[in-house]
Amino acid sequence: MITPEELDPGLLTMFTQEVRERASEMENAVLAIEASGDADRKRHLQEQLLRVAHSLKGAAGLLQVRGVETICHWMEEILSIAANVGLVLERSRLDLLLSAADAIRDAANLLESGEIPSPAHGQDVVEKLKAVATEGCAVATAGCDDGLKEAHHHPPMAEPGIAIRATDTDGSMRVSAARLDALLYRSGEMLTFNAVMRRHAEQASSLREEARKMRAPGSDPTGQVASVEGGLRQLAAFLRQDVRLMQSAVTALDEEIRLARTQPFAEACKGLGRIVRDVAAASGKRAELEISGGELEVDRSIVSALQDSLRHLVRNAVAHGIQTPEERRTAGRPEKGRILVSAAMRGNRMEVRVEDDGRGLNLALLSAATGESTHGKQAEADILRRVFEPGVSTSATVTSLSGRGIGLDIVKRNVEKLRGAIDVSQVPTGGAAFTLTLPLTLATVRVLEVLAGGHVFTIDTTSVQRVIRIDRGDFTLIEGRNFVRTPAGPMPFVDVSLWLRLQPNRSPASETTPAVVVDSPSGSTAVLVDEITGEQELLARSLGPRLANVRRYSGGMVLPDGRIALLLNVAALAEAAAEVRPRNEVVARRSVAAARRKVLVVDDSKYVRTLVKLILEGAGYDVTMATDGTEALKQLRDHGADVVVADVDMPSMNGFELTRAIRQSDRFTGTPVVLVTGRESLEDKVKGLRAGANAYLRKDQFDAHDFLETMRQVV
């Protein structure tokens, strides 16, 4: 057997991708065979599967990956027997081929981790394949057995072509030759403009030289002035024309790059058919999957991130929405349930819907679990949305998959990480529908810039309905919830400054307050800000896994002037507006003692520094920042600080070294130090406390309230 060291890294990567893709092709082919009602089509798909197994067998043999080669060999034997005598594989044989595809996918996982599968990989599956192939050889001439049977010819059915070739969403993707040619053409245009700009620069230098000669002693500038003016007019005209052409070329290049990043929505639905099949079989049900809008082109980052959420929703739909055949017959419905996954464009956003025709959500159980009344349509909608809260379930019994509430909070968080929103509703004809509203791309965002509490924030314009100004007399309280009166009717509102525990920076004499009206699953919400400063398209950046639990923000972006703006989570804003609280209640009361405290925040990540600064300033602290331990010590010596909040992993001097240096200093030995780090091990925590830290907090478990409580205790 070949070793990983003997394989060229590039070759190993390509082979790993090939194994993974072939496993997906095999699974799709088996599911297509099982779903088809036409014998001729079944045989055609079996022949396709035979070719896939044969191709992978050859590649695995070439690289001496014997485990994969053996599995493919025995799959090929079974399929060859069926092809030679024109037989169709029964359900039990298809189950075995699916197990073989799973074993091949496991081999891809091993290869991805740098381990070559052993020759005995998938031995249990191989033994079963071998037994079926041997049995098939013995009975092929006699007719059929329980696993291989003669194909009965039926009239051809109008079935859509099933694309078996799969595209990975693991960081790699295929781009068509035509798309690459288009990109090459656009880049060629940009190179042409490079030459044009050089020519303009030379012309400008020539005019500057003429102007210099005009200042020489004894020169007569009369004729030269006209020449320079004419040259400048010509240069300005050329530049205006070239700017228009360059803008057009840059826009076209940007469009081509965006298109090159897209994949069909059907890629996000890979594996859903297998989930429907397996969950239905395990629960004694019958169900089919239908995908609509699979051809819709979507940014690959959305496709990749959407897969887990769709799988969870589809699994729930089959396990807890679709009834058993007996129940459906009693209700006068078809025995086979239906799950529809659809995608459609809605303006500048994409809407994905997962709908089933099952029993729907149990409002009575939800009402009992949440303690809320179901009277009125709005009350029912509010109770339905509670299924996204942790621990809320519609199941009367607790099992490993007990009710639609289990895990839906994770789906909601995943959707919000994509700057999207999710809602749930009952289907009038029976069943439940989950609707996901998502942006078309995660790379750039058209945002509205707003000021709140002296800081700049951004709001995704795809969620913005309009911008309004609210009079002082328009605020009201209805059933314990804050509302503002608008021409469209009462609307819940949230003040961003108070929500983030910042001091509003609005003039007390002002009679009106600017507000941004945003869309949310629960309806329109007014977001109060201090000022609206503009709109532009910016590059969105993730806050990283360490700050994944900070739900108020969907990401960060760098403004043209170098400042950092955090992107507000519209879903979280809407939920804050819906909370019941007294009208004049301040979300966070500032501590007079805290306002006098000076905190030095030390972290090499500008996003983390800015986020911690916002939290501390919102609680009344005075904040200065440093990028590493060396800079922090200098700031301490020059300006002092009451508390130091530091990361551990930093260049120049890490957090442990900084803590020890503070403790060894005569001047600052008593200064509290709080370490906020991504390190998770107990040994690191002990090391930090031994170095002299007063508290040790993990970023992956970061909670603003706990952090502020820790700050209160250490000071």
Side-chain angles (χ1 to χ4, degrees):
M1 184 181 74
I2 198 167
T3 63
E5 292 76 17
E6 295 173 315
L7 267 178
D8 176 77
L11 187 61
L12 179 60
T13 300
M14 285 191 294
F15 178 67
T16 302
Q17 182 177 351
E18 179 74 8
V19 174
R20 190 177 298 283
E21 288 185 356
R22 296 298 186 185
S24 294
E25 291 176 47
M26 291 173 177
E27 180 179 290
N28 291 341
V30 173
L31 293 176
I33 294 168
E34 189 174 80
S36 178
D38 178 56
D40 289 335
R41 179 164 175 76
K42 285 178 181 286
R43 285 199 303 275
H44 173 68
L45 290 168
Q46 287 176 185
E47 290 171 2
Q48 281 188 270
L49 181 56
L50 173 60
R51 288 194 292 271
V52 172
H54 179 75
S55 297
L56 183 56
K57 173 185 172 182
L62 185 65
L63 293 181
Q64 300 178 34
V65 183
R66 302 304 182 196
V68 173
E69 182 186 20
T70 303
I71 295 173
C72 292
H73 168 75
W74 289 108
M75 289 179 71
E76 187 180 8
E77 285 292 310
I78 294 174
L79 292 163
S80 295
I81 295 169
N84 290 337
V85 293
L87 300 176
V88 171
L89 295 175
E90 282 285 321
R91 173 68 178 263
S92 61
R93 297 331 187 212
L94 295 177
D95 287 341
L96 181 56
L97 292 179
L98 280 177
S99 299
D102 290 339
I104 292 172
R105 184 177 286 108
D106 292 340
N109 294 335
L110 291 174
L111 288 164
E112 199 167 40
S113 65
E115 181 182 348
I116 301 297
S118 72
H121 177 78
Q123 191 62 38
D124 291 344
V125 173
V126 169
E127 292 299 329
K128 294 176 183 177
L129 290 169
K130 190 185 299 185
V132 170
T134 304
E135 182 182 357
C137 287
V139 300
T141 56
C144 63
D145 68 351
D146 291 334
L148 297 169
K149 70 176 183 180
E150 294 182 1
H152 297 284
H153 295 271
H154 301 282
M157 297 178 65
E159 297 184 41
I162 297 176
I164 295 179
R165 189 68 181 172
T167 302
D168 278 348
T169 52
D170 59 355
S172 62
M173 63 181 293
R174 287 186 174 86
V175 180
S176 68
R179 187 71 66 207
L180 287 176
D181 289 342
L183 287 171
L184 183 62
Y185 172 76
R186 297 301 178 188
S187 66
E189 283 186 317
M190 301 309 296
L191 291 175
T192 301
F193 283 117
N194 184 40
V196 171
M197 289 297 106
R198 279 203 306 268
R199 188 166 62 250
H200 290 331
E202 292 170 0
Q203 188 176 356
S205 297
S206 176
L207 291 170
R208 185 180 60 182
E209 183 63 22
E210 288 189 40
R212 187 188 64 78
K213 291 177 181 179
M214 291 166 54
R215 294 194 301 270
S219 64
D220 182 10
T222 305
Q224 291 176 316
V225 168
S227 175
V228 171
E229 286 180 346
L232 286 173
R233 281 195 300 271
Q234 185 183 45
L235 178 60
F238 284 149
L239 285 173
R240 283 194 295 269
Q241 179 183 2
D242 291 339
V243 164
R244 288 194 297 270
L245 293 174
M246 185 177 292
Q247 182 177 6
S248 175
V250 168
T251 302
L253 178 61
D254 179 71
E255 181 65 20
E256 292 292 349
I257 292 173
R258 290 177 186 271
L259 290 174
R261 280 181 52 85
T262 61
Q263 290 180 309
F265 171 72
E267 289 296 322
C269 302
K270 286 197 314 182
L272 296 185
R274 176 74 180 273
I275 290 173
V276 170
R277 174 192 187 276
D278 291 350
V279 176
S283 53
K285 301 174 182 178
R286 297 184 62 196
E288 61 182 355
L289 175 72
E290 181 180 339
I291 297 174
S292 174
E295 71 287 349
L296 187 69
E297 292 289 333
V298 186
D299 190 301
R300 68 169 303 278
S301 53
I302 298 285
V303 169
S304 179
L306 195 56
Q307 285 183 323
D308 284 343
S309 296
L310 290 180
R311 288 170 181 171
H312 185 94
L313 292 174
V314 167
R315 187 183 298 111
N316 265 10
V318 180
H320 307 296
I322 301 299
Q323 307 98 320
T324 63
E326 293 77 15
E327 291 174 320
R328 294 181 67 86
R329 276 199 307 271
T330 303
R333 311 185 72 175
E335 291 187 5
K336 182 180 285 188
R338 176 174 168 268
I339 295 95
L340 172 64
V341 179
S342 61
M345 300 292 294
R346 296 286 184 267
N348 54 359
R349 293 178 78 81
M350 176 178 70
E351 184 178 283
V352 178
R353 185 177 173 92
V354 179
E355 176 183 330
D356 66 71
D357 65 349
R359 59 172 59 90
L361 293 167
N362 191 321
L363 278 175
L365 283 177
L366 269 177
S367 178
T370 60
E372 296 184 8
S373 170
T374 59
H375 297 302
K377 288 187 176 181
Q378 184 58 45
E380 288 187 7
D382 290 341
I383 289 178
L384 283 175
R385 293 188 190 100
R386 296 291 293 273
V387 299
F388 298 113
E389 296 181 7
V392 176
S393 172
T394 61
S395 177
T397 59
V398 177
T399 66
S400 59
L401 290 171
S402 56
R404 287 179 178 269
I406 299 300
L408 289 176
D409 60 313
I410 300 174
V411 173
K412 182 182 179 184
R413 286 184 177 273
N414 289 341
V415 171
E416 289 180 357
K417 286 177 184 176
L418 299 175
R419 304 198 306 270
I422 183 171
D423 197 17
V424 60
S425 61
Q426 299 277 49
V427 178
T429 56
F434 290 85
T435 304
L436 289 64
T437 307
L438 301 159
L440 298 180
T441 179
L442 297 181
T444 58
V445 192
R446 190 77 184 172
V447 295
L448 199 65
E449 293 179 30
V450 299
L451 293 178
H455 297 277
V456 60
F457 298 95
T458 56
I459 301 174
D460 191 341
T461 57
T462 57
S463 302
V464 176
Q465 288 183 2
R466 61 190 182 277
V467 174
I468 60 175
R469 295 196 72 88
I470 300 174
D471 293 330
R472 282 186 174 183
D474 288 336
F475 295 99
T476 185
L477 196 69
I478 302 175
E479 296 181 355
R481 295 170 62 185
N482 291 318
F483 279 86
V484 60
R485 287 187 289 268
T486 71
M491 184 184 301
F493 75 88
V494 58
D495 190 320
V496 173
S497 297
L498 296 180
W499 184 56
L500 297 177
R501 300 186 178 185
L502 301 173
Q503 183 63 40
N505 194 21
R506 295 190 282 271
S507 171
S510 176
E511 294 295 325
T512 61
T513 301
V516 181
V517 179
V518 297
D519 275 323
S520 72
S522 56
S524 300
T525 300
V527 179
L528 274 57
V529 297
D530 296 341
E531 186 180 348
I532 299 169
T533 58
E535 179 184 349
Q536 61 180 308
E537 190 161 358
L538 296 171
L539 183 66
R541 306 183 185 217
S542 169
L543 295 178
R546 294 178 177 180
L547 302 177
N549 292 332
V550 184
R551 185 168 167 261
R552 295 184 175 188
Y553 309 107
S554 299
M557 43 195 57
V558 180
L559 300 177
D561 60 5
R563 290 179 300 165
I564 294 174
L566 293 173
L567 182 63
L568 296 173
N569 184 342
V570 172
L573 282 167
E575 289 176 12
E579 290 179 2
V580 177
R581 61 164 66 88
R583 176 180 176 181
N584 296 322
E585 176 188 346
V586 177
V587 176
R589 300 183 180 277
R590 292 173 173 267
S591 167
V592 176
R596 295 193 296 267
R597 299 292 186 180
K598 182 177 181 180
V599 182
L600 174 60
V601 176
V602 193
D603 201 300
D604 58 330
S605 167
K606 56 186 177 182
Y607 290 109
V608 175
R609 289 197 306 271
T610 302
L611 184 60
V612 174
K613 180 175 184 287
L614 283 172
I615 294 172
L616 290 172
E617 286 183 342
Y621 292 93
D622 223 2
V623 180
T624 58
M625 298 189 291
T627 58
D628 57 43
T630 303
E631 183 183 344
L633 282 178
K634 184 177 184 303
Q635 286 205 33
L636 271 178
R637 287 192 294 267
D638 295 344
H639 307 291
D642 296 306
V643 188
V644 175
V645 177
D647 187 19
V648 170
D649 297 305
M650 297 182 294
S652 181
M653 176 186 288
N654 65 35
F656 296 146
E657 295 167 341
L658 172 62
T659 304
R660 283 191 287 267
I662 292 173
R663 292 292 170 255
Q664 292 167 6
S665 165
D666 294 334
R667 182 180 170 190
F668 302 107
T669 186
T671 302
V673 178
V674 177
L675 294 178
V676 183
T677 176
R679 298 195 181 190
E680 304 175 4
S681 69
L682 179 61
E683 291 78 8
D684 286 322
K685 181 177 181 179
V686 172
K687 185 177 179 180
L689 296 176
R690 285 179 177 172
N694 298 75
Y696 188 97
L697 305 177
R698 284 170 48 179
K699 288 182 179 178
D700 63 336
Q701 299 177 348
F702 187 83
D703 179 86
H705 298 287
D706 293 342
F707 171 60
L708 291 175
E709 178 60 24
T710 300
M711 293 294 295
R712 188 190 66 77
Q713 292 177 5
V714 299
V715 298

